[in-house]
Amino acid sequence: MREENSKVLSSEGGELEIEQPGVGEVTTAEAMPEVEAAFEEIEIDAPLVGIIMGSRNDKAKMQPAGKALQEAEIRYEVRVMSAHRDPDMVRDYCSNARMRGLRVIIAGAGMSAALPGVAAAHSDLPVIGVPIAGANLGGLDALLSAVQMPPGVPVACVAIDGAKNAGLLAARIIGL
Ligand code: RP5
């Protein structure tokens, strides 16, 4: 049995008394074990890490992050969304991330890699940036974009094409 605000919830079934402070009334509520079971299942299956990337073409470079998380038995999800091409999608995903149960966001992008910074602007979760090497500047463009964040909007940045370390770091953050 656990207390949550003014409610007393039981996982053992049976009728519960719910006292509402200030009202002075005592009402009864029927326990709904099936509903509680459904919520428990959601918690069990919910991913803890969101791996996002700016393009489908980044997938191969980002795969080691997923592999590291898989080896650490940490659930994750993968989404493609570009800070420049899909700004609304990035905003919605990142601002809902904590509510959905995510605890870390890994954001990989190449060229002018705004995705990690934009993710950190829309979420207070730890964001790990992965700068991805493009055709022209060897990833220096993406590295500087991810690492040169202004004070107040933190992004942890791994090496160019360093997705494996992003996965390992996310696992360490979750293990704190
Ligand atoms: C970035 O621009 C992506 O992360 C990708 O690395 C780079 C090029 O994107 P594509 O033109 O290959 O989709 O937004």
Side-chain angles (χ1 to χ4, degrees):
M1 192 171 286
R2 62 195 162 95
E3 269 198 19
E4 200 174 82
N5 301 330
S6 62
K7 295 182 181 174
V8 179
L9 306 172
S10 165
S11 55
E12 289 145 30
E15 287 210 328
L16 304 177
E17 283 192 342
I18 298 175
E19 212 166 337
Q20 294 178 335
V23 179
E25 286 177 9
V26 175
T27 56
T28 59
E30 202 178 318
M32 295 187 288
E34 324 79 41
V35 177
E36 285 177 16
F39 274 98
E40 274 166 24
E41 206 167 299
I42 286 169
E43 275 174 28
I44 286 165
D45 292 340
L48 297 178
V49 179
I51 300 178
I52 59 178
M53 63 199 80
S55 167
R56 288 188 176 279
N57 298 326
D58 298 332
K59 270 191 177 172
K61 295 271 182 80
M62 291 301 290
Q63 234 155 17
K67 189 162 180 275
L69 289 168
Q70 205 168 353
E71 284 169 7
E73 298 184 356
I74 292 173
R75 298 176 301 282
Y76 66 93
E77 64 183 13
V78 179
R79 300 280 187 278
V80 175
M81 60 187 78
S82 161
H84 299 114
R85 294 164 175 158
D86 320 295
D88 294 348
M89 191 191 298
V90 174
R91 180 202 57 213
D92 292 349
Y93 180 86
C94 296
S95 51
N96 291 325
R98 180 183 284 281
M99 186 191 67
R100 293 184 50 241
L102 294 179
R103 293 181 47 200
V104 180
I105 295 173
I106 296 175
M111 299 182 74
S112 177
L115 190 59
V118 172
H122 287 297
S123 175
D124 60 357
L125 292 175
V127 174
I128 305 171
V130 182
I132 293 177
N136 297 318
L137 296 169
L140 192 58
D141 43 359
L143 173 67
L144 295 178
S145 301
V147 88
Q148 284 295 92
M149 288 298 297
V153 190
V155 167
C157 184
V158 294
I160 296 169
D161 293 341
K164 178 178 180 177
N165 271 359
L168 294 174
L169 182 56
R172 288 188 179 193
I173 291 169
I174 285 168
L176 281 176

